[in-house]
Amino acid sequence: MSKDLLKNVAADRMIKEMMGKFSQHQQNYFLAGKTIGTSTYWINDFHPTALNFAAYLSPKITLAEQERFFQQMIEELEQVARKKQKKALITYDYAPQLVFNTLAKDNGFHLIRTTVMPKMPLSSALEQTKAIKIASDFELLSLTALKKCPEQLAELTRQSYADYQENHRANPVADLSLEKWQEVIYADQLLEAPLVLRVKN
């Protein structure tokens, strides 16, 4: 039923991805026999204190109807969060914002972070890095080079985890060992791409 509702929504929207992954938690909303809204939720073990959700409301219903269904969705999601002992509701989306996200900001939700995702074909990524010019008293190190200096790799891992914790206070990260954090952050790192700018000596 929500397929018709979402047919004009861009393929890269969080709502489409999460409806596929978490269809067992999907809730549809109806007006005069038509689907006018949908939501789903999930729990992210990496950020375990919040209930994550994605929701969509049709822009074709009136503002009053949008407000009414928004409140109904939020009340139902809050009940799920309480039942699962989660402290907050977190939602995501890509710009431009959907009707639901605009209503959320008007009703007590706060924008906690904006992320810009660059697009660069991996085939050209390493070629691009070869053109980087740096002063002679600096050097660029790849993950391959860092793995030869375990102390520096460990220091980078510790600093990275501390920075991540600091930048995610609104949605805290789980307590992870440095070994586990290292697995997470280096999992898809290009081995020969520059990772660290170091002052020599």
Short mmCIF file of all heavy atoms in Angstrom, two decimals, residues 69-129:
data_model
loop_
_atom_site.label_atom_id
_atom_site.label_comp_id
_atom_site.label_asym_id
_atom_site.label_seq_id
_atom_site.Cartn_x
_atom_site.Cartn_y
_atom_site.Cartn_z
N PHE A 69 -1.98 13.62 11.73
CA PHE A 69 -1.32 12.33 11.51
C PHE A 69 0.11 12.35 12.05
O PHE A 69 0.61 11.33 12.52
CB PHE A 69 -1.36 11.94 10.03
CG PHE A 69 -2.71 11.40 9.62
CD1 PHE A 69 -3.59 12.19 8.90
CD2 PHE A 69 -3.10 10.12 9.99
CE1 PHE A 69 -4.84 11.70 8.54
CE2 PHE A 69 -4.34 9.62 9.63
CZ PHE A 69 -5.23 10.41 8.90
N PHE A 70 0.78 13.50 11.97
CA PHE A 70 2.11 13.63 12.57
C PHE A 70 2.04 13.30 14.06
O PHE A 70 2.83 12.50 14.58
CB PHE A 70 2.67 15.04 12.36
CG PHE A 70 3.92 15.32 13.13
CD1 PHE A 70 5.17 14.95 12.65
CD2 PHE A 70 3.86 15.92 14.39
CE1 PHE A 70 6.32 15.18 13.38
CE2 PHE A 70 5.01 16.15 15.12
CZ PHE A 70 6.25 15.78 14.62
N GLN A 71 1.09 13.91 14.76
CA GLN A 71 0.95 13.69 16.20
C GLN A 71 0.64 12.22 16.49
O GLN A 71 1.19 11.64 17.44
CB GLN A 71 -0.16 14.58 16.78
CG GLN A 71 0.14 16.07 16.74
CD GLN A 71 1.37 16.46 17.54
OE1 GLN A 71 1.80 15.75 18.44
NE2 GLN A 71 1.95 17.61 17.22
N GLN A 72 -0.21 11.60 15.69
CA GLN A 72 -0.54 10.19 15.89
C GLN A 72 0.71 9.32 15.72
O GLN A 72 0.98 8.42 16.53
CB GLN A 72 -1.62 9.76 14.90
CG GLN A 72 -2.09 8.32 15.10
CD GLN A 72 -3.14 7.90 14.10
OE1 GLN A 72 -3.75 8.71 13.41
NE2 GLN A 72 -3.36 6.58 14.00
N MET A 73 1.50 9.58 14.66
CA MET A 73 2.73 8.82 14.43
C MET A 73 3.69 8.95 15.61
O MET A 73 4.23 7.95 16.10
CB MET A 73 3.43 9.31 13.16
CG MET A 73 2.82 8.88 11.87
SD MET A 73 3.82 9.56 10.51
CE MET A 73 2.97 8.85 9.10
N ILE A 74 3.89 10.18 16.05
CA ILE A 74 4.85 10.42 17.14
C ILE A 74 4.40 9.75 18.43
O ILE A 74 5.20 9.13 19.14
CB ILE A 74 5.07 11.94 17.35
CG1 ILE A 74 5.78 12.55 16.14
CG2 ILE A 74 5.88 12.22 18.62
CD1 ILE A 74 7.13 11.93 15.82
N GLU A 75 3.10 9.84 18.74
CA GLU A 75 2.60 9.18 19.95
C GLU A 75 2.83 7.67 19.90
O GLU A 75 3.25 7.06 20.89
CB GLU A 75 1.11 9.48 20.13
CG GLU A 75 0.84 10.90 20.60
CD GLU A 75 -0.62 11.29 20.52
OE1 GLU A 75 -1.48 10.39 20.33
OE2 GLU A 75 -0.91 12.50 20.64
N GLU A 76 2.59 7.07 18.74
CA GLU A 76 2.79 5.62 18.61
C GLU A 76 4.27 5.27 18.70
O GLU A 76 4.65 4.27 19.33
CB GLU A 76 2.18 5.13 17.29
CG GLU A 76 0.66 5.19 17.31
CD GLU A 76 0.03 4.88 15.97
OE1 GLU A 76 0.76 4.55 15.00
OE2 GLU A 76 -1.21 4.96 15.88
N LEU A 77 5.14 6.07 18.09
CA LEU A 77 6.58 5.82 18.17
C LEU A 77 7.11 6.03 19.59
O LEU A 77 7.99 5.28 20.04
CB LEU A 77 7.33 6.72 17.18
CG LEU A 77 7.14 6.34 15.70
CD1 LEU A 77 7.52 7.51 14.78
CD2 LEU A 77 7.96 5.10 15.36
N GLU A 78 6.57 7.00 20.30
CA GLU A 78 6.97 7.22 21.69
C GLU A 78 6.59 6.01 22.55
O GLU A 78 7.35 5.61 23.45
CB GLU A 78 6.33 8.49 22.25
CG GLU A 78 6.99 9.76 21.74
CD GLU A 78 6.28 11.03 22.20
OE1 GLU A 78 5.08 10.95 22.57
OE2 GLU A 78 6.92 12.09 22.17
N GLN A 79 5.43 5.41 22.29
CA GLN A 79 5.02 4.21 23.03
C GLN A 79 6.01 3.08 22.78
O GLN A 79 6.39 2.37 23.72
CB GLN A 79 3.61 3.78 22.60
CG GLN A 79 2.52 4.67 23.13
CD GLN A 79 1.14 4.27 22.59
OE1 GLN A 79 0.99 3.23 21.96
NE2 GLN A 79 0.15 5.11 22.85
N VAL A 80 6.42 2.90 21.53
CA VAL A 80 7.41 1.86 21.20
C VAL A 80 8.72 2.15 21.92
O VAL A 80 9.34 1.25 22.51
CB VAL A 80 7.64 1.77 19.68
CG1 VAL A 80 8.79 0.82 19.35
CG2 VAL A 80 6.37 1.34 18.96
N ALA A 81 9.15 3.43 21.90
CA ALA A 81 10.42 3.81 22.55
C ALA A 81 10.37 3.51 24.04
O ALA A 81 11.34 2.97 24.61
CB ALA A 81 10.71 5.28 22.30
N ARG A 82 9.27 3.84 24.69
CA ARG A 82 9.14 3.56 26.13
C ARG A 82 9.18 2.05 26.39
O ARG A 82 9.86 1.59 27.31
CB ARG A 82 7.84 4.16 26.68
CG ARG A 82 7.94 5.65 26.97
CD ARG A 82 6.76 6.15 27.78
NE ARG A 82 5.51 6.10 27.03
CZ ARG A 82 5.08 7.05 26.21
NH1 ARG A 82 5.81 8.13 26.03
NH2 ARG A 82 3.93 6.94 25.59
N LYS A 83 8.46 1.29 25.57
CA LYS A 83 8.42 -0.16 25.74
C LYS A 83 9.81 -0.77 25.59
O LYS A 83 10.17 -1.72 26.29
CB LYS A 83 7.46 -0.76 24.70
CG LYS A 83 7.22 -2.23 24.85
CD LYS A 83 6.19 -2.70 23.83
CE LYS A 83 6.01 -4.20 23.91
NZ LYS A 83 5.06 -4.71 22.90
N LYS A 84 10.60 -0.22 24.68
CA LYS A 84 11.94 -0.74 24.41
C LYS A 84 13.02 -0.02 25.23
O LYS A 84 14.20 -0.22 25.03
CB LYS A 84 12.25 -0.66 22.92
CG LYS A 84 11.31 -1.56 22.11
CD LYS A 84 11.69 -1.64 20.67
CE LYS A 84 10.78 -2.59 19.90
NZ LYS A 84 10.90 -3.98 20.31
N GLN A 85 12.58 0.85 26.15
CA GLN A 85 13.46 1.59 27.06
C GLN A 85 14.49 2.43 26.33
O GLN A 85 15.67 2.45 26.69
CB GLN A 85 14.13 0.62 28.04
CG GLN A 85 13.11 -0.13 28.88
CD GLN A 85 13.73 -1.13 29.82
OE1 GLN A 85 14.67 -1.83 29.47
NE2 GLN A 85 13.21 -1.20 31.03
N LYS A 86 14.04 3.15 25.31
CA LYS A 86 14.89 4.07 24.57
C LYS A 86 14.61 5.50 25.03
O LYS A 86 13.47 5.85 25.31
CB LYS A 86 14.67 3.94 23.06
CG LYS A 86 14.93 2.55 22.52
CD LYS A 86 16.35 2.09 22.80
CE LYS A 86 16.58 0.63 22.46
NZ LYS A 86 17.88 0.16 22.90
N LYS A 87 15.65 6.31 25.10
CA LYS A 87 15.54 7.65 25.69
C LYS A 87 15.12 8.73 24.70
O LYS A 87 14.77 9.83 25.10
CB LYS A 87 16.88 8.04 26.32
CG LYS A 87 17.31 7.16 27.45
CD LYS A 87 18.67 7.57 27.96
CE LYS A 87 19.14 6.63 29.05
NZ LYS A 87 20.51 6.93 29.49
N ALA A 88 15.22 8.45 23.40
CA ALA A 88 14.96 9.50 22.42
C ALA A 88 14.47 8.88 21.11
O ALA A 88 14.62 7.69 20.88
CB ALA A 88 16.24 10.30 22.15
N LEU A 89 13.87 9.73 20.29
CA LEU A 89 13.50 9.36 18.92
C LEU A 89 14.46 10.08 17.99
O LEU A 89 14.72 11.27 18.15
CB LEU A 89 12.08 9.80 18.59
CG LEU A 89 10.94 9.13 19.35
CD1 LEU A 89 9.60 9.76 18.94
CD2 LEU A 89 10.90 7.63 19.10
N ILE A 90 15.00 9.35 17.02
CA ILE A 90 15.92 9.93 16.04
C ILE A 90 15.39 9.62 14.65
O ILE A 90 15.06 8.48 14.35
CB ILE A 90 17.34 9.32 16.18
CG1 ILE A 90 17.92 9.56 17.56
CG2 ILE A 90 18.27 9.82 15.08
CD1 ILE A 90 18.60 10.87 17.78
N THR A 91 15.33 10.64 13.79
CA THR A 91 14.95 10.40 12.41
C THR A 91 15.99 11.01 11.49
O THR A 91 16.79 11.85 11.91
CB THR A 91 13.54 10.95 12.10
OG1 THR A 91 13.13 10.48 10.82
CG2 THR A 91 13.49 12.48 12.14
N TYR A 92 16.01 10.56 10.26
CA TYR A 92 17.01 10.97 9.29
C TYR A 92 16.31 11.26 7.96
O TYR A 92 15.30 10.68 7.66
CB TYR A 92 18.01 9.84 9.00
CG TYR A 92 18.62 9.21 10.22
CD1 TYR A 92 17.92 8.27 10.95
CD2 TYR A 92 19.90 9.56 10.63
CE1 TYR A 92 18.48 7.67 12.07
CE2 TYR A 92 20.47 8.96 11.74
CZ TYR A 92 19.76 8.02 12.46
OH TYR A 92 20.32 7.44 13.56
N ASP A 93 16.93 12.08 7.18
CA ASP A 93 16.47 12.23 5.81
C ASP A 93 17.48 13.02 5.02
O ASP A 93 18.41 13.60 5.57
CB ASP A 93 15.10 12.89 5.73
CG ASP A 93 14.40 12.53 4.42
OD1 ASP A 93 14.95 11.73 3.65
OD2 ASP A 93 13.32 13.05 4.17
N TYR A 94 17.27 13.05 3.72
CA TYR A 94 18.13 13.80 2.82
C TYR A 94 17.43 15.07 2.39
O TYR A 94 16.21 15.08 2.22
CB TYR A 94 18.48 12.96 1.58
CG TYR A 94 19.23 11.71 1.91
CD1 TYR A 94 18.59 10.47 1.93
CD2 TYR A 94 20.57 11.75 2.25
CE1 TYR A 94 19.29 9.32 2.24
CE2 TYR A 94 21.27 10.61 2.56
CZ TYR A 94 20.63 9.38 2.55
OH TYR A 94 21.31 8.24 2.87
N ALA A 95 18.18 16.15 2.22
CA ALA A 95 17.61 17.41 1.74
C ALA A 95 17.15 17.22 0.30
O ALA A 95 17.74 16.44 -0.43
CB ALA A 95 18.66 18.51 1.83
N PRO A 96 16.11 17.93 -0.16
CA PRO A 96 15.26 18.83 0.64
C PRO A 96 14.37 18.01 1.58
O PRO A 96 13.99 16.89 1.26
CB PRO A 96 14.42 19.55 -0.42
CG PRO A 96 14.37 18.61 -1.56
CD PRO A 96 15.67 17.86 -1.56
N GLN A 97 14.02 18.59 2.70
CA GLN A 97 13.27 17.86 3.72
C GLN A 97 11.85 17.55 3.27
O GLN A 97 11.23 18.30 2.53
CB GLN A 97 13.21 18.69 5.01
CG GLN A 97 14.56 18.82 5.70
CD GLN A 97 15.11 17.49 6.15
OE1 GLN A 97 14.38 16.63 6.63
NE2 GLN A 97 16.41 17.30 6.01
N LEU A 98 11.35 16.43 3.74
CA LEU A 98 9.97 16.04 3.48
C LEU A 98 9.03 16.80 4.40
O LEU A 98 9.45 17.39 5.40
CB LEU A 98 9.81 14.54 3.71
CG LEU A 98 10.67 13.62 2.85
CD1 LEU A 98 10.55 12.19 3.35
CD2 LEU A 98 10.22 13.70 1.41
N VAL A 99 7.74 16.72 4.10
CA VAL A 99 6.72 17.34 4.95
C VAL A 99 6.89 16.90 6.40
O VAL A 99 6.87 17.72 7.31
CB VAL A 99 5.30 16.96 4.44
CG1 VAL A 99 4.24 17.34 5.46
CG2 VAL A 99 5.01 17.61 3.10
N PHE A 100 7.09 15.60 6.61
CA PHE A 100 7.18 15.07 7.97
C PHE A 100 8.32 15.74 8.74
O PHE A 100 8.17 16.11 9.90
CB PHE A 100 7.39 13.56 7.96
CG PHE A 100 7.37 12.96 9.34
CD1 PHE A 100 6.19 12.53 9.90
CD2 PHE A 100 8.53 12.88 10.09
CE1 PHE A 100 6.16 12.01 11.19
CE2 PHE A 100 8.52 12.37 11.37
CZ PHE A 100 7.33 11.93 11.92
N ASN A 101 9.47 15.87 8.11
CA ASN A 101 10.63 16.43 8.80
C ASN A 101 10.44 17.90 9.12
O ASN A 101 10.93 18.40 10.13
CB ASN A 101 11.88 16.19 7.97
CG ASN A 101 12.18 14.71 7.84
OD1 ASN A 101 11.40 13.98 7.26
ND2 ASN A 101 13.27 14.26 8.40
N THR A 102 9.75 18.61 8.24
CA THR A 102 9.43 20.01 8.52
C THR A 102 8.52 20.11 9.74
O THR A 102 8.74 20.93 10.63
CB THR A 102 8.76 20.66 7.29
OG1 THR A 102 9.63 20.50 6.17
CG2 THR A 102 8.49 22.13 7.52
N LEU A 103 7.52 19.26 9.80
CA LEU A 103 6.62 19.24 10.96
C LEU A 103 7.39 18.88 12.23
O LEU A 103 7.14 19.43 13.29
CB LEU A 103 5.49 18.22 10.74
CG LEU A 103 4.38 18.63 9.78
CD1 LEU A 103 3.51 17.43 9.44
CD2 LEU A 103 3.54 19.73 10.38
N ALA A 104 8.33 17.94 12.11
CA ALA A 104 9.10 17.52 13.27
C ALA A 104 9.85 18.71 13.87
O ALA A 104 9.85 18.92 15.08
CB ALA A 104 10.08 16.41 12.89
N LYS A 105 10.49 19.52 13.01
CA LYS A 105 11.24 20.67 13.51
C LYS A 105 10.30 21.71 14.13
O LYS A 105 10.69 22.42 15.05
CB LYS A 105 12.07 21.29 12.40
CG LYS A 105 13.33 20.48 12.11
CD LYS A 105 14.34 21.25 11.30
CE LYS A 105 14.10 21.06 9.83
NZ LYS A 105 15.12 21.68 9.00
N ASP A 106 9.07 21.77 13.65
CA ASP A 106 8.09 22.71 14.22
C ASP A 106 7.48 22.19 15.51
O ASP A 106 6.77 22.92 16.20
CB ASP A 106 6.95 22.97 13.21
CG ASP A 106 7.40 23.76 12.00
OD1 ASP A 106 8.50 24.38 12.07
OD2 ASP A 106 6.69 23.74 10.98
N ASN A 107 7.74 20.92 15.85
CA ASN A 107 7.11 20.30 17.02
C ASN A 107 8.11 19.71 17.99
O ASN A 107 7.88 18.65 18.57
CB ASN A 107 6.13 19.22 16.55
CG ASN A 107 4.85 19.79 15.99
OD1 ASN A 107 3.91 20.07 16.72
ND2 ASN A 107 4.81 19.99 14.68
N GLY A 108 9.22 20.38 18.18
CA GLY A 108 10.15 20.00 19.24
C GLY A 108 11.34 19.16 18.86
O GLY A 108 12.22 18.92 19.69
N PHE A 109 11.42 18.67 17.63
CA PHE A 109 12.61 17.95 17.21
C PHE A 109 13.71 18.96 16.89
O PHE A 109 13.42 20.08 16.46
CB PHE A 109 12.33 17.08 15.98
CG PHE A 109 11.67 15.77 16.30
CD1 PHE A 109 10.34 15.73 16.66
CD2 PHE A 109 12.38 14.58 16.24
CE1 PHE A 109 9.71 14.53 16.97
CE2 PHE A 109 11.77 13.38 16.54
CZ PHE A 109 10.43 13.35 16.91
N HIS A 110 14.96 18.57 17.10
CA HIS A 110 16.09 19.45 16.84
C HIS A 110 17.00 18.82 15.80
O HIS A 110 17.26 17.61 15.85
CB HIS A 110 16.91 19.69 18.12
CG HIS A 110 16.09 20.27 19.23
ND1 HIS A 110 15.74 21.59 19.28
CD2 HIS A 110 15.54 19.68 20.32
CE1 HIS A 110 15.01 21.80 20.36
NE2 HIS A 110 14.87 20.65 21.01
N LEU A 111 17.50 19.65 14.90
CA LEU A 111 18.50 19.18 13.94
C LEU A 111 19.82 19.05 14.68
O LEU A 111 20.33 20.02 15.22
CB LEU A 111 18.63 20.18 12.78
CG LEU A 111 19.64 19.82 11.71
CD1 LEU A 111 19.21 18.55 10.96
CD2 LEU A 111 19.80 20.96 10.72
N ILE A 112 20.35 17.83 14.75
CA ILE A 112 21.58 17.64 15.52
C ILE A 112 22.81 17.54 14.64
O ILE A 112 23.92 17.73 15.11
CB ILE A 112 21.50 16.42 16.47
CG1 ILE A 112 21.20 15.14 15.71
CG2 ILE A 112 20.49 16.65 17.57
CD1 ILE A 112 21.26 13.88 16.57
N ARG A 113 22.64 17.24 13.37
CA ARG A 113 23.81 17.19 12.51
C ARG A 113 23.38 17.20 11.05
O ARG A 113 22.37 16.63 10.69
CB ARG A 113 24.63 15.92 12.79
CG ARG A 113 26.01 15.99 12.18
CD ARG A 113 26.90 14.82 12.58
NE ARG A 113 26.54 13.61 11.84
CZ ARG A 113 26.00 12.54 12.41
NH1 ARG A 113 25.76 12.51 13.68
NH2 ARG A 113 25.70 11.48 11.69
N THR A 114 24.17 17.86 10.24
CA THR A 114 24.01 17.80 8.80
C THR A 114 25.27 17.17 8.24
O THR A 114 26.37 17.59 8.57
CB THR A 114 23.82 19.21 8.19
OG1 THR A 114 22.64 19.79 8.75
CG2 THR A 114 23.67 19.15 6.68
N THR A 115 25.11 16.15 7.43
CA THR A 115 26.25 15.46 6.84
C THR A 115 26.24 15.66 5.34
O THR A 115 25.20 15.50 4.71
CB THR A 115 26.18 13.95 7.16
OG1 THR A 115 26.14 13.78 8.57
CG2 THR A 115 27.38 13.21 6.58
N VAL A 116 27.38 16.03 4.79
CA VAL A 116 27.52 16.18 3.35
C VAL A 116 28.28 14.97 2.84
O VAL A 116 29.36 14.66 3.33
CB VAL A 116 28.28 17.48 2.99
CG1 VAL A 116 28.47 17.59 1.50
CG2 VAL A 116 27.53 18.69 3.53
N MET A 117 27.70 14.27 1.90
CA MET A 117 28.31 13.06 1.37
C MET A 117 28.88 13.34 -0.01
O MET A 117 28.12 13.51 -0.97
CB MET A 117 27.28 11.94 1.28
CG MET A 117 26.66 11.56 2.63
SD MET A 117 27.83 10.84 3.78
CE MET A 117 28.02 9.21 3.08
N PRO A 118 30.21 13.40 -0.14
CA PRO A 118 30.79 13.64 -1.46
C PRO A 118 30.68 12.40 -2.34
O PRO A 118 30.58 11.28 -1.82
CB PRO A 118 32.25 13.95 -1.14
CG PRO A 118 32.51 13.21 0.13
CD PRO A 118 31.22 13.22 0.89
N LYS A 119 30.71 12.60 -3.63
CA LYS A 119 30.68 11.47 -4.55
C LYS A 119 31.94 11.51 -5.41
O LYS A 119 32.15 12.46 -6.14
CB LYS A 119 29.43 11.53 -5.43
CG LYS A 119 28.14 11.30 -4.65
CD LYS A 119 26.94 11.30 -5.56
CE LYS A 119 25.67 11.08 -4.74
NZ LYS A 119 24.46 11.12 -5.56
N MET A 120 32.77 10.49 -5.25
CA MET A 120 33.98 10.38 -6.06
C MET A 120 34.15 8.92 -6.43
O MET A 120 34.18 8.06 -5.54
CB MET A 120 35.21 10.85 -5.27
CG MET A 120 36.51 10.65 -6.06
SD MET A 120 37.99 10.99 -5.09
CE MET A 120 37.96 12.75 -5.01
N PRO A 121 34.25 8.62 -7.71
CA PRO A 121 34.46 7.22 -8.10
C PRO A 121 35.75 6.69 -7.48
O PRO A 121 36.79 7.36 -7.53
CB PRO A 121 34.56 7.27 -9.62
CG PRO A 121 34.03 8.60 -10.02
CD PRO A 121 34.23 9.52 -8.85
N LEU A 122 35.69 5.51 -6.87
CA LEU A 122 36.88 4.94 -6.24
C LEU A 122 38.00 4.73 -7.25
O LEU A 122 39.18 4.81 -6.91
CB LEU A 122 36.54 3.61 -5.56
CG LEU A 122 35.68 3.73 -4.31
CD1 LEU A 122 35.41 2.35 -3.72
CD2 LEU A 122 36.33 4.61 -3.26
N SER A 123 37.63 4.51 -8.52
CA SER A 123 38.67 4.30 -9.54
C SER A 123 39.56 5.52 -9.70
O SER A 123 40.73 5.41 -10.07
CB SER A 123 38.02 3.94 -10.88
OG SER A 123 37.14 4.99 -11.28
N SER A 124 39.02 6.71 -9.41
CA SER A 124 39.83 7.92 -9.57
C SER A 124 40.35 8.46 -8.23
O SER A 124 41.15 9.39 -8.21
CB SER A 124 39.03 9.01 -10.28
OG SER A 124 37.99 9.47 -9.44
N ALA A 125 39.92 7.88 -7.11
CA ALA A 125 40.29 8.42 -5.79
C ALA A 125 41.80 8.44 -5.59
O ALA A 125 42.38 9.45 -5.17
CB ALA A 125 39.61 7.62 -4.69
N LEU A 126 42.46 7.32 -5.87
CA LEU A 126 43.90 7.26 -5.64
C LEU A 126 44.66 8.17 -6.60
O LEU A 126 45.67 8.78 -6.23
CB LEU A 126 44.41 5.83 -5.75
CG LEU A 126 44.01 4.93 -4.57
CD1 LEU A 126 44.43 3.49 -4.81
CD2 LEU A 126 44.60 5.44 -3.28
N GLU A 127 44.17 8.30 -7.83
CA GLU A 127 44.81 9.21 -8.79
C GLU A 127 44.74 10.65 -8.29
O GLU A 127 45.69 11.41 -8.41
CB GLU A 127 44.14 9.10 -10.17
CG GLU A 127 44.47 7.81 -10.90
CD GLU A 127 45.97 7.60 -11.09
OE1 GLU A 127 46.68 8.56 -11.51
OE2 GLU A 127 46.45 6.49 -10.81
N GLN A 128 43.60 11.01 -7.70
CA GLN A 128 43.41 12.37 -7.17
C GLN A 128 44.41 12.65 -6.05
O GLN A 128 44.95 13.75 -5.93
CB GLN A 128 41.99 12.56 -6.64
CG GLN A 128 40.90 12.40 -7.67
CD GLN A 128 40.75 13.62 -8.55
OE1 GLN A 128 41.13 14.71 -8.18
NE2 GLN A 128 40.20 13.42 -9.73
N THR A 129 44.66 11.66 -5.20
CA THR A 129 45.52 11.89 -4.05
C THR A 129 46.99 12.05 -4.44
O THR A 129 47.76 12.66 -3.71
CB THR A 129 45.40 10.74 -3.02
OG1 THR A 129 45.79 9.52 -3.62
CG2 THR A 129 43.98 10.64 -2.50
#
